[in-house]
Amino acid sequence: MRHSFHAKVAHPAEIARVAFFVEMNVRQSMSYVILVPLLPLLAAIVIGIAGSVLRERSVRIAAPAVIAAFAGAVATLVLVTLNGPISVRFYEPSTAGLSVLSLGFYIDRLSAVMMVLITGVSTIIYLYSMRYMQQERGYARFHALLALTTFVLLCMVSSANILMLFIFWQLLSWLLYLLSYNYSHPPTIEGAFKTFAVLRVGDVAFLAGIVLAYRLYGTLDFQPLFARAAEVPSTFSLWPGSGLEISAVTAITLLIFIGAMSKSAQFPMHVWLPASLYAPTPVHALLHAGIINAGGFLINRLAPLYGLAPDTLHVAFVIGGLTAIVAAAIMLTQSDIKTMLGFSTIGQMGYMIMECGLGAFALAIFHLIAHGLFKATVFLNCGNVIHMARQEPRFPPGHIHEKAEALPRLPWATGVVMTLLLPLIILLAAHGVLQVPLRDAQGAVIFLFFAWVTSAQAILSLYRLRAVGSWKVAGVMVFTMFLVIGTYLWAAESFTYFLYPAPGEAARYFEAAAFPPWLFDLFVVTVTVLIIGGWAVVYTNVRGEHILIPRWGLGLMPRLYMWFWNRLYIDTVYMRLGQALSRLARRVDAVLPEWLP
């Protein structure tokens, strides 16, 4: 039997109709994208022009604009998830030499997620600030600056090339100075200037990395830059004739990482954040919408570049770990509520950079979002506490000194066993003895590591539940560990393959950041010993004993406390260095006219 098949040819009118609908969908997507940053900008312009007339009514313009931008950001996230990245070009130079000046938006899943975070946190801040700043001078100016900052953040995360990203990165540094708000208060101005100066150092290094990238690869658009960096590996000498060479990608990523260090307050460039705490509380909440955590976004945006530079990732891991430890220790010695929260934020940003240093880029964004939402609301609640304390001298109540009690051993034994169980699983998984049911074995080890550290911190804090039965506390400890592990292994892993859906991409980043097995084992064992030591010290202190602390350790503890209370005297060192540079500049200024003809 003979079969004949006839292909159905589409009618030209039908083809035109389909093309029309596709074009309409593209234009509609572009309108959503453009409206998201445009609405806060229009609100800032209107309030800036008519602020003296609007006064307290200025928030009625800003808040609806930001809420509408949030709705547009959610719609953009849905569109990008379903249809892929959206690219919008505003200006494309016709001359090849001016291609670096191209302007546009490139919005993928990473950008869309950040846009939702920025507009969501900004919405909460605006609703909070309606009455918080109502009796302050410059009320309209404050809301105009908040709207302008939201616009700059949105443009930064959706920039189509690294130069455009840097321009908005720079504008954030200027806006942080303006958002200090109380210009007549000397400590506020001093803190704003310190913020501006520290961020300048990082921005200069960031700009140097951009110049070097353009010099070597001839483009600053993200996708062509990543492709050329992978295709053309190159090295150059650090000093002529020295024989010391460095990979071009390593040099570029290190310079850009210094910019990320300054913006994300990494040690030793963290001093600007505590100095900026004189600004209004909503400003510090806004920091968590993409300013203080911009370093994590920047590394993720340039993830293909950092995946080619394992040395830079190792440096990031060390800097992030050092920042997390130092900031946590300083936080424990501070008595001011905003200062404590500030150093807590610095420590969490160190944790975020650590995750980037281990190749867990998407996990850093997951942490960025969770911490941003949590800490922004905590800072806003901190403003309520400060406001109530000013109105009511008896609030908050005085310290309640509880008598130390001999607690049951079940919670302590449970905590120690839970703390020891996870590192054993991590080491077995790292050496292939235990198979974790995740897509990537290296990623599973990293997720388990951070789940372990997080759950250990949470479990350790539960020893304060003295009024609850010991079996209940032990049950909460077990539940906490499984909750944290489930969050990391399910939510974080799913989010990783949401941000990096290309086959093998996430695994490639984990492999690039991998440490030698012996070094990773040593690190896990060291952290385990420190956590168990913490359990032992807390247990003996609660029982009123110091049997595990030698006599010389007891004498050293007050000195360490004073060092961390004074923030390791880093601010003093910077102040002396600044004074020395000022004296040198004055001497050069005095002698320079004699040298000139």
Side-chain angles (χ1 to χ4, degrees), residues 45 101 152 208-209 227 272 337 397 447 471 478 508 523 531 572:
I45 293 174
L101 300 178
V152 171
W272 69 266
I337 183 172
F447 292 147
W471 65 271
V478 175
R508 187 169 65 252
F523 178 69
I531 293 176
T572 304

Side-chain angles (χ1 to χ4, degrees), residues 231-246:
E231 293 171 359
V232 189
S234 59
T235 60
F236 57 87
S237 177
L238 291 175
W239 190 263
S242 65
L244 298 175
E245 294 186 343
I246 186 173

